[in-house]
Amino acid sequence: FWLAVGCAVIHFVAKLGWIPDLSPGSRKKPKHVADAKRRPVAEKVAVPVEEQREVRDEGKVPMGAIASQVVECLRVEDVDGATRLEELARKQGEPVSFAVIEPLIKLFAKTDASRASKLFRDLQQHGFYASEGFCGSLMARSGEARNIAFAEEVAANLRSRSMMTLATFKTLMKVYATNGMYDKACDLYEEIRSAGVEPDQVMYGCLAKFAAKCGRSEMAQQLHAARASQGGDVQSYMCGMRS
């Protein structure tokens, strides 16, 4: 009885506004929290606390905040969001940082080769350094989307800096092979040897397989012999038999 009376009193006082209403469903999230969940990625540009004063004074969004959101766009392959963020970065009145450009090129390498190519050229013109790992990632993503021309452009950039390695040759070879261009994959063999790069067991096996697929029997046999001299396994013998 007294419990019922107490609940009735609490309810009556809450109605008068003397204490907050604690009944179920009465707790609503602030409007700015609800709106934030509905906004697309490109509009959720988080600003670090230490940079908020700069934003208020100059009306700019720090490049670091934009870069973090471009990385998120890359993760979910949000091309529209990344495009809006790129426009926002260019309106800041200062050079766009590498932290923004890098994920943009990676995203466009798979979705828009012409834009990726333009950004990659801009990258070089502004003196940014494209590492071997970054270039390898661009070639791999280009190959997945059949953007062969951009993959070759990136490879040409590495060649101009004498930075082609066993890993990047493998990546370019995979780009050709996954798109059925076995002849071009095999043509890389002479370049690899000329560059002083020694193919490993995996590359020998792949080249022998590609050579057999495109009818280069003599090359497949030579590659089989070279791999066997390194202690070839069953796969190398199978490639030799097919050739």
Side-chain angles (χ1 to χ4, degrees), residues 173 193 213:
M173 187 182 299
R193 298 302 299 271
K213 284 190 174 184

Side-chain angles (χ1 to χ4, degrees), residues 73-79 102-117 119 137-148 150-151 154:
C73 288
L74 170 62
R75 187 183 69 82
V76 300
E77 297 192 352
D78 181 2
V79 178
E102 179 183 13
L104 281 174
I105 299 178
K106 286 182 178 180
L107 177 61
F108 295 141
K110 199 171 181 179
T111 58
D112 190 337
S114 60
R115 291 178 69 183
S117 177
L119 283 172
S137 174
L138 294 181
M139 287 192 289
R141 291 180 65 86
S142 298
E144 293 173 12
R146 304 180 69 86
N147 293 329
I148 310 300
F150 182 56
V154 175

Side-chain angles (χ1 to χ4, degrees), residues 28-50:
K28 296 182 179 178
K29 293 183 180 179
K31 185 176 184 301
H32 70 277
V33 175
D35 290 344
K37 289 193 173 182
R38 290 195 292 268
R39 289 201 301 268
V41 169
E43 296 179 13
K44 299 180 184 178
V45 182
V47 181
V49 174
E50 62 273 12

Side-chain angles (χ1 to χ4, degrees), residues 80-123:
D80 293 336
T83 301
R84 291 195 295 273
L85 286 164
E86 180 188 2
E87 293 171 356
L88 176 62
R90 295 191 185 283
K91 290 178 181 177
Q92 301 297 308
E94 58 187 69
V96 181
S97 69
F98 180 75
V100 174
I101 295 177
E102 179 183 13
L104 281 174
I105 299 178
K106 286 182 178 180
L107 177 61
F108 295 141
K110 199 171 181 179
T111 58
D112 190 337
S114 60
R115 291 178 69 183
S117 177
K118 182 181 183 305
L119 283 172
F120 189 67
R121 290 194 297 269
D122 290 345
L123 189 77

Side-chain angles (χ1 to χ4, degrees), residues 11 26 56 85:
H11 181 70
S26 64
R56 287 196 299 269
L85 286 164

Side-chain angles (χ1 to χ4, degrees), residues 120 130-140 154 157-158 161 168 171:
F120 189 67
S131 67
E132 174 198 339
F134 175 53
C135 290
S137 174
L138 294 181
M139 287 192 289
V154 175
N157 176 267
L158 286 173
R161 295 183 288 152
T168 51
T171 302

